[in-house]
């Protein structure tokens, strides 16, 4: 199927978001700039995201407001992705920047199913 071919085509791609703009109220900044991180994550069909910025330190990402991205992005990231690695970065006082590597949830299940389908077809 075309969707499966597209997923396989992007399997090794990585989405890199480095200090994406902070989400702001609609009247403060253009929506396409403010929602860039969440929109990029929604549009991305690969399995790996590298994010450089602030990550909520608790599961209460609904009220998180830092210098990068925002609530919509972090809700989607925590709901649909698994944190695989975090590297703390030098940062300004009061900031908590890190480089994080995320893997799409369910990737192992999809990979096992694809492998089983390939074995069955042989």
């Amino acid at each position: 199927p075309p969707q499966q071919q597209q997923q396989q085509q992007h399997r090794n791609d990585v989405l890199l978001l480095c200090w994406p703009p902070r989400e702001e109220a609609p009247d403060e900044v253009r929506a396409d700039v403010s929602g860039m991180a969440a929109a990029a994550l929604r549009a991305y069909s690969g399995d790996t995201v590298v994010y450089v910025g602030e990550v909520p330190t608790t599961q209460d990402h609904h009220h998180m407001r830092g210098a990068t991205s925002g609530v919509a992005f972090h809700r989607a990231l925590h709901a649909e992705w698994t944190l695989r690695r975090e590297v703390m970065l030098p940062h300004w006082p009061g900031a908590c920047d890190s480089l994080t590597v995320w893997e799409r949830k369910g990737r192992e299940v999809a990979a096992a199913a694809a492998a089983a389908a390939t074995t069955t077809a042989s």
Side-chain angles (χ1 to χ4, degrees):
Q3 184 179 13
Q4 185 178 16
Q5 289 174 346
Q6 182 181 14
Q7 288 173 342
Q8 289 174 350
Q9 177 184 359
H10 296 289
R11 170 176 264 149
N12 295 321
D13 291 353
V14 174
L15 173 63
L16 171 64
L17 293 168
C18 184
W19 265 72
R22 179 173 60 188
E23 293 171 11
E24 300 286 355
D27 57 335
E28 294 178 28
V29 69
R30 289 185 4 225
D32 60 330
V33 172
S34 178
M36 185 276 287
L41 193 61
R42 274 193 310 273
Y44 178 58
S45 63
D47 292 328
T48 305
V49 171
V50 174
Y51 170 68
V52 179
E54 295 177 315
V55 176
T57 55
T58 69
Q59 290 298 331
D60 188 19
H61 49 271
H62 302 285
H63 298 100
M64 184 270 185
R65 182 176 171 93
T68 59
S69 64
V71 175
F73 172 75
H74 286 289
R75 281 182 184 159
L77 192 65
H78 285 87
E80 301 166 18
W81 300 81
T82 300
L83 178 63
R84 293 296 181 204
R85 178 147 187 181
E86 182 172 17
V87 178
M88 296 308 297
L89 300 173
H91 51 78
W92 294 103
C96 191
D97 303 316
S98 62
L99 180 149
T100 53
V101 179
W102 300 79
E103 185 177 88
R104 188 181 298 277
K105 289 181 179 178
R107 177 178 167 192
E108 298 85 5
V109 174
T118 303
T119 304
T120 305
S122 300

